[in-house]
Amino acid sequence: MFKRRIPLFILAFVGTLLIVSVFIPPMENLGEDFTLFFDIIAVFAFFLGGGNLVRIHFGKLRRRKKDWGFSIVTLVAFFFMLTIGLLKVSSVGGVWNIPLLGIGDPAAIAASPTTEGSWFQETFNYVINPLQSTMYALLAFFVASASYRAFRAKNREATLLLLAAFIILLGRTPFGMELTRWVPESFSVLQIPNMAIWIMNSPNLAGQRAILIGIGLGVVSMSLRLILGIERSYLGEDRG
Amino acid sequence: MTSKLFLALLLLPFSGLAQDDPAGVDMLDTAVVVVAPPTSVIAVDHKYDKGERIDLTWVPSIDDQLVEGKVLAYRIYRIVNDGGPQLVADVATGVGPYQYADEDLHRDSIYSYYVAAVSSNYEAASTRTAPMSPQREWMNLDRKWLFLIALIVGGSVLLFITAARRGTKLFVRKIAGLEAVDEAVGRATEMGRPILFVPGIRDMDDVQTLAALTILGRVSRVIADYDTRIFMPTSRSLVMTAGRETVKAAYQAAGRPDKYSDDMVTYYTDEQFGYVAAVDGVMVREKPATVFLLGAFFAESLILAETGNYIGAIQIGGTARPAQLPFFIAACDFTLIGEELFAASAYLSGEPMQLGSLKGQDVGKAIAMIAIIVGAVAITIGEAWDVEFMHDIVTWLSGVFSTR
Amino acid sequence: MGKRHWILLGAIVAVIIIAAVLWLFPKERWGTVFSLLLVFGGLVALLLRSLYAKEVERRIIFLFILVAVAAPILFPITFTEKPTAVVQAVFDKIENLPSGSTVLLSFDFDPAMAPEVQPMANAISRHCLEKGHKVIFMSLWATGQALLSQSLSDYILLGFPDKVDGVDYVNIGYKAGNEGVLNVIVSNFEKMFPTDVNSVPLKDIRIFDDIASAKDVDFIMSIGGGMPGPKEWVLFVGDPGDVDVGVGVAAVVAPQMYPYYPAQVIGILGGVKGAAEYEYALKDAYPVFADMDTPGLRMMGPQTLAHIVILSFIVIGNIIYFRGRRERKQ
């Protein structure tokens, strides 16, 4: 019973306090303070997350479960980064520094793990960076396949969407400008790049604002349900 | 020259530079640029703070007003509890209003100030302000309209909840994405394949993640009943912990605690694209029949949704990030748009009290709609025919909805 | 005609086209012409195929995007640009500030977003330095600091050997705390950034002689797209501090910034196109930059071709849809 009631009480208390604090100057910084508390808790929670990752992949490896090869990659990468970060391994111009093991310059222990020449930073620059960019670049391919499937003139609304997409896609290229360069300057709004900006700025903006207002109100309503303890599904309860 | 010398001697006691410099009088011989001090220096308590700030305003030196570049800056001096003057700041001339906010003060100290006009080699100080202490206010009346609006919107949510509790029938429109939840879970059960639940990439302090967890609560109840497999990869440790609690509690409530396993909810990495790579890998290897993408998503939304589409899963997406909604709409079978994400749990529960809270939002929408229409009409008429009254309405409305 | 005849016909046409290209174009244009022929020829073939209501497999789409993006990188195609009003507004703001004004540039992005927004960050930095503005560089992203230091030393400062650190520009780096950082610097820089990246105390840096807080800065430009980023600069500094803010964002985020334009954000650079327009305006106004590296303009080639491929696939998709519907009706 207490296991349910205590979280509900904390939620109701902190929620109400933070709402009230907006209107009371001496309590104004409470929101920032709680954000800091949260960050501290989140940092400790990482031990749970990291521990869980290691446990699961060791388990997979031990039981030779399907795709256990990937687990080796994960574990090696995890411990490699952890080691070079914690030990502050660095090598500049052939000189090795592992201050925690007494190799090289002992003063390097105070250096940030992201200083030039540190293995941590080098791995970041030459492994993580390109990997991140690769994942991000996948978007170019997926945007194409998603547009091919989604933009079909199935009804009136879809046709409007299709037209807007056409203008925006053309408007984002010099090609769009070339197509309508002949339009006189006094009708420049009819040039495709300007039409694209108009679409973004007017119909799109109106729609986004409506969605944002809805979101704001949705957040208010959900927060009140949580604070009042009516919404308890996150505690696994079906009834309020 | 004699009048200037006289003026300078007169101002000598007030001048910080002359006091510090024993050769001050000698300097007068070498072309001292004498300037008049600023006047009407006023110190007032900053309204609606916790008593840490005093605002200063002054009328610039007459030399500053007449000759550009003669006064180089204004020096603000502060005297605390009858101590010596401390230089607080130099304020540049010619930019913006002549004012300064002295911050980080203490309520139990007494402060007075003077402002000095500074030329290239001379400093002319004003008279001191009356001693004062910053005051602490207990209510921020600048936010009275925000308070009122919050009261009306919050109040109406509560009102409709109470009305629903008394048994008033409330109509809530059909949300296709949520109607499909049962069907989507059923499909996974029939196909004997797992369900993938992705709660976004933000932590527990994002209300979208909370919304995702409330839906997870409902979904896992159905899953526990059907005995389907669920897999929930997370990119934050706290979300993993919270997710586990939610799923575990749902299995307990369904009377099948033995079927629950911690492996259902796992953590991968905080790194955005590392997480995406991991989840995409899970999708391609495990081929879930149903994919839920609910919560805060950024650039990864389309990468996840397209991969889900490729493996032929039924996808229910939902986020309150307007920039990512088009991607979900293009690649998912059902999309919860903004507020629908927050309404989902209440809607799925079908409980009158929860539905009442959704109804309360409509009052907020009505206020927004009226304000938008009145504002648009007023600004149009005001600009077109220069009607004073309409300008007033616009100013008033901007004041009401301003967040400063 | 059988399949073999078709192949033979195709081969003959291909040989004729290749011969024509080799004959008509100079050697350095062969790469461009062949890749364009490959892309557009393929699209025409798919268009004809779509008349039979045959869906295109997504791997084919991926292949076309790959060629459309890779070809203009290998064989550059450049276009002329005309800055749109939203971009011109940022350019004019920096141009019209009196020389010696202080501009704050915040690099709020990570390596993943860098290819899209780094070009505009470089162009704007160069513009400010050339105009003689004092520039404060910073980042709200942990991974942005490394990028910032790297782009300062590798690109931006190369063209300005006589600019002095601390006098003409300063790099104050990154501080954790997201929008909390902004909340503090709007009233006091030193509280959040006691030193710059080289551990020089802020009070010893000339630029900060007249600058106590972000409110004292003449113009703020936030370049990024995630959170915290341009939007937070508007909400936590631009609005409360009454400072002009301009933003440079990834293209997907640009629509989110339009609600703030032009009252709260004076101008918006959206994606590679925004960068290309800015680079073009900069080259146009300053002959010094005639030989400047213009990644934005260079990337417009791939972007244009990729957009044309996507547009073509949308057309193909619709033909397939309508042909399919007619066949189903019959």
Side-chain angles (χ1 to χ4, degrees):
Chain A
M1 200 63 203
F2 273 121
K3 214 184 150 199
R4 290 269 179 281
R5 284 222 174 133
I6 291 171
L8 282 175
F9 172 76
I10 295 175
L11 179 65
F13 177 73
V14 177
T16 317
L17 195 70
L18 287 182
I19 292 175
V20 172
S21 76
V22 174
F23 303 99
I24 298 177
M27 291 164 72
E28 231 163 32
N29 294 340
L30 222 55
E32 282 168 39
D33 295 344
F34 272 97
T35 311
L36 273 180
F37 299 163
F38 176 83
D39 287 347
I40 294 167
I41 296 171
V43 167
F44 280 101
F46 175 76
F47 289 105
L48 283 176
N52 167 65
L53 186 80
V54 173
R55 190 183 57 81
I56 285 190
H57 285 280
F58 264 126
K60 250 187 173 177
L61 209 58
R62 216 180 32 236
R63 275 173 255 139
R64 291 284 193 280
K65 270 190 177 176
K66 204 177 123 207
D67 299 324
W68 56 271
F70 296 129
S71 297
I72 298 180
V73 179
T74 308
L75 288 170
V76 168
F78 182 87
F79 284 109
F80 176 74
M81 284 306 272
L82 199 67
T83 316
I84 61 171
L86 284 178
L87 296 182
K88 298 192 175 181
V89 182
S90 70
S91 61
V92 186
V95 182
W96 280 77
N97 264 333
I98 310 176
L100 275 177
L101 301 183
I103 300 170
D105 179 13
I109 201 157
S112 147
T114 57
T115 44
E116 276 306 303
S118 82
W119 276 36
F120 192 82
Q121 185 64 23
E122 299 296 304
T123 319
F124 186 85
N125 287 347
Y126 297 109
V127 180
I128 297 176
N129 258 3
L131 284 176
Q132 280 189 341
S133 302
T134 308
M135 286 307 288
Y136 190 59
L138 281 181
L139 272 176
F141 298 96
F142 287 146
V143 162
S145 63
S147 340
Y148 166 72
R149 253 195 352 264
F151 290 119
R152 299 206 173 173
K154 289 178 182 163
N155 49 42
R156 207 168 36 193
E157 289 85 354
T159 313
L160 272 178
L161 194 71
L162 176 68
L163 282 175
F166 242 87
I167 293 171
I168 303 246
L169 277 168
L170 272 179
R172 303 302 296 176
T173 64
F175 195 57
M177 191 67 225
E178 294 304 326
L179 277 182
T180 45
R181 206 181 267 284
W182 52 272
V183 175
E185 213 44 41
S186 45
F187 292 97
S188 66
V189 72
L190 291 177
Q191 289 172 344
I192 289 179
N194 292 326
M195 272 161 73
I197 289 180
W198 179 82
I199 290 174
M200 303 275 259
N201 222 343
S202 302
N204 169 63
L205 175 55
Q208 289 225 5
R209 279 193 173 149
I211 291 177
L212 282 174
I213 292 171
I215 288 170
L217 292 166
V219 172
V220 169
S221 157
M222 199 185 94
S223 307
L224 279 175
R225 282 202 304 274
L226 287 167
I227 289 173
L228 295 173
I230 298 173
E231 171 73 79
R232 296 181 186 185
S233 56
Y234 65 101
L235 295 172
E237 287 183 22
D238 226 359
R239 286 195 45 81
Chain B
M1 185 64 205
T2 41
S3 63
K4 268 191 178 174
L5 187 71
F6 175 72
L7 186 72
L9 284 171
L10 196 73
L11 291 170
L12 204 59
F14 300 105
S15 152
L17 187 95
Q19 279 171 346
D20 294 344
D21 184 1
V25 182
D26 291 343
M27 272 180 64
L28 291 173
D29 295 334
T30 56
V32 173
V33 186
V34 178
V35 288
T39 52
S40 307
V41 181
I42 298 167
V44 285
D45 171 48
H46 184 75
K47 272 276 165 267
Y48 311 130
D49 68 345
K50 43 184 176 175
E52 288 185 327
R53 178 171 160 181
I54 289 176
D55 293 329
L56 284 173
T57 53
W58 61 92
V59 173
S61 156
I62 186 78
D63 290 299
D64 191 14
Q65 296 176 42
L66 295 178
V67 189
E68 198 186 328
K70 196 171 177 187
V71 174
L72 299 177
Y74 291 96
R75 274 190 188 149
I76 318 286
Y77 289 93
R78 172 173 63 196
I79 294 138
V80 189
N81 298 333
D82 295 327
Q86 311 161 346
L87 176 63
V88 189
D90 277 350
V91 179
T93 56
V95 282
Y98 293 91
Q99 62 184 42
Y100 178 76
D102 196 17
E103 286 166 346
D104 294 331
L105 305 176
H106 300 284
R107 275 182 296 121
D108 41 8
S109 301
I110 299 164
Y111 299 89
S112 73
Y113 295 85
Y114 65 87
V115 180
V118 185
S119 74
S120 54
N121 51 9
Y122 187 76
E123 190 171 311
S126 70
T127 50
R128 279 193 197 181
T129 62
M132 65 177 302
S133 296
Q135 300 296 311
R136 176 167 66 186
E137 285 83 15
W138 284 100
M139 264 303 270
N140 187 344
L141 291 183
D142 274 348
R143 291 183 177 158
K144 56 181 183 291
W145 289 110
L146 179 65
F147 182 73
L148 196 72
I149 294 168
L151 212 63
I152 295 173
V153 175
S156 47
V157 171
L158 295 183
L159 198 78
F160 279 103
I161 290 176
T162 327
R165 189 180 271 166
R166 289 213 192 99
T168 314
K169 274 251 176 278
L170 299 167
F171 169 77
V172 175
R173 77 182 157 90
K174 254 192 163 31
I175 302 177
L178 296 174
E179 294 287 319
V181 167
D182 274 346
E183 186 200 322
V185 176
R187 179 173 181 261
T189 317
E190 275 169 25
M191 297 173 78
R193 290 209 251 148
I195 286 170
L196 186 73
F197 193 101
V198 183
I201 60 161
R202 294 291 297 237
D203 216 327
M204 287 301 291
D205 56 343
D206 193 306
V207 68
Q208 298 179 63
T209 313
L210 270 177
L213 284 184
T214 59
I215 303 172
L216 174 71
R218 307 277 171 207
V219 171
S220 24
R221 265 308 289 273
V222 185
I223 288 168
D225 284 340
Y226 286 0
D227 198 15
T228 315
R229 273 185 303 147
I230 185 171
F231 190 66
M232 177 178 166
T234 66
S235 83
R236 306 282 161 163
S237 311
L238 272 185
V239 179
M240 175 193 83
T241 323
R244 279 183 178 170
E245 286 301 317
T246 305
V247 178
K248 194 195 282 178
Y251 271 82
Q252 276 167 351
R256 300 182 164 183
D258 52 309
K259 295 274 179 190
Y260 169 80
S261 142
D262 269 354
D263 290 354
M264 291 172 172
V265 186
T266 57
Y267 164 85
Y268 279 125
T269 169
D270 276 37
E271 188 55 57
Q272 181 184 18
F273 289 110
Y275 176 70
V276 176
V279 176
D280 268 6
V282 169
M283 280 192 196
V284 175
R285 288 193 300 270
E286 305 286 330
K287 298 219 166 28
T290 304
V291 175
F292 290 93
L293 300 166
L294 302 168
F297 289 90
F298 295 80
E300 69 285 357
S301 60
L302 186 66
I303 302 180
L304 293 174
E306 269 295 288
T307 312
N309 185 287
Y310 166 65
I311 56 163
I314 277 204
Q315 296 198 95
I316 300 180
T319 183
R321 303 262 319 162
Q324 307 306 332
L325 280 169
F327 297 132
F328 278 165
I329 289 169
C332 292
D333 300 277
F334 301 96
T335 307
L336 303 176
I337 298 173
E339 59 182 309
E340 293 176 348
L341 174 69
F342 301 114
S345 173
Y347 184 95
L348 288 173
S349 77
E351 276 173 51
M353 256 166 50
Q354 297 231 32
L355 294 178
S357 74
L358 300 185
K359 207 72 197 161
Q361 284 173 238
D362 291 354
V363 176
K365 278 188 196 161
I367 295 177
M369 277 194 251
I370 292 167
I372 289 170
I373 292 169
V374 171
V377 169
I379 205 160
T380 309
I381 297 177
E383 291 291 321
W385 292 283
D386 202 18
V387 184
E388 188 60 36
F389 175 64
M390 291 294 164
H391 286 310
D392 291 346
I393 292 180
V394 175
T395 318
W396 181 77
L397 272 179
S398 319
V400 168
F401 291 100
S402 156
T403 48
R404 280 185 201 184
Chain C
M1 251 182 12
K3 203 175 174 184
R4 264 179 38 206
H5 293 98
W6 278 113
I7 294 173
L8 193 69
L9 187 71
I12 293 170
V13 171
V15 169
I16 293 172
I17 291 174
I18 291 170
V21 170
L22 297 181
W23 186 52
L24 287 173
F25 292 92
K27 203 174 174 183
E28 60 273 15
R29 303 293 294 277
W30 288 353
T32 314
V33 177
F34 277 125
S35 47
L36 288 179
L37 276 175
L38 193 67
V39 172
F40 288 108
L43 285 174
V44 171
L46 283 177
L47 206 69
L48 293 175
R49 187 173 168 269
S50 70
L51 295 175
Y52 299 99
K54 279 185 184 162
E55 287 285 352
V56 183
E57 210 195 318
R58 64 183 221 146
R59 275 179 291 191
I60 305 274
I61 303 177
F62 292 168
L63 188 69
F64 269 85
I65 288 287
L66 177 73
V67 177
V69 173
I73 293 176
L74 297 172
F75 316 107
I77 310 171
T78 43
F79 301 90
T80 50
E81 289 286 339
K82 182 179 170 232
T84 42
V86 278
V87 173
Q88 191 67 42
V90 177
F91 186 85
D92 290 345
K93 176 74 196 176
I94 294 176
E95 192 61 23
N96 296 334
L97 278 176
S99 178
S101 306
T102 314
V103 177
L104 190 152
L105 293 182
S106 193
F107 284 42
D108 306 324
F109 52 88
D110 60 355
M113 215 192 301
E116 204 176 353
V117 294
Q118 183 84 52
M120 47 180 123
N122 291 356
I124 292 168
S125 307
R126 286 184 178 130
H127 189 192
C128 291
L129 290 170
E130 180 60 31
K131 189 74 191 128
H133 299 321
K134 291 177 275 185
V135 190
I136 302 171
F137 293 98
M138 61 170 282
S139 175
L140 291 176
W141 286 42
T143 44
Q145 178 171 332
L147 283 170
L148 170 57
S149 305
Q150 197 186 350
S151 49
L152 272 178
S153 58
D154 292 0
Y155 315 106
I156 300 167
L157 293 173
L158 285 185
F160 303 93
D162 45 344
K163 296 279 176 190
V164 181
D165 191 354
V167 180
D168 302 305
Y169 69 90
V170 62
N171 175 4
I172 56 175
Y174 157 79
K175 275 284 162 333
N178 299 340
E179 48 268 43
V181 174
L182 300 180
N183 251 333
V184 176
I185 64 168
V186 73
S187 57
N188 191 333
F189 263 120
E190 221 178 330
K191 241 193 209 171
M192 208 70 216
F193 294 92
T195 68
D196 72 354
V197 282
N198 304 320
S199 306
V200 180
L202 233 55
K203 57 179 184 301
D204 297 339
I205 297 172
R206 282 258 295 280
I207 291 183
F208 287 97
D209 283 355
D210 304 328
I211 307 287
S213 69
K215 273 189 267 189
D216 304 327
V217 170
D218 299 296
F219 180 54
I220 292 171
M221 186 82 201
S222 167
I223 296 150
M227 228 169 103
K231 191 172 149 191
E232 282 66 36
W233 274 101
V234 176
L235 299 180
F236 293 95
V237 179
D239 268 7
D242 202 16
V243 192
D244 281 342
V245 176
V247 301
V249 289
V252 279
V253 188
Q256 270 180 301
M257 291 315 299
Y258 276 98
Y260 302 103
Y261 172 80
Q264 292 154 287
V265 164
I266 64 140
I268 302 166
L269 271 65
V272 174
K273 171 92 166 117
E277 289 176 17
Y278 201 95
E279 286 171 352
Y280 196 80
L282 195 60
K283 277 185 125 174
D284 206 33
Y286 291 90
V288 200
F289 292 128
D291 299 324
M292 173 181 84
D293 177 34
T294 48
L297 282 167
R298 266 194 290 120
M299 278 195 272
M300 280 318 284
Q303 170 152 335
T304 306
L305 213 53
H307 277 207
I308 292 172
V309 167
I310 293 176
L311 283 171
S312 311
F313 274 110
I314 295 176
V315 172
I316 291 170
N318 277 285
I319 294 176
I320 293 168
Y321 172 70
F322 283 110
R323 296 296 292 199
R325 200 166 65 169
R326 215 172 70 182
E327 271 174 24
R328 278 193 296 276
K329 268 184 193 161
Q330 279 168 359

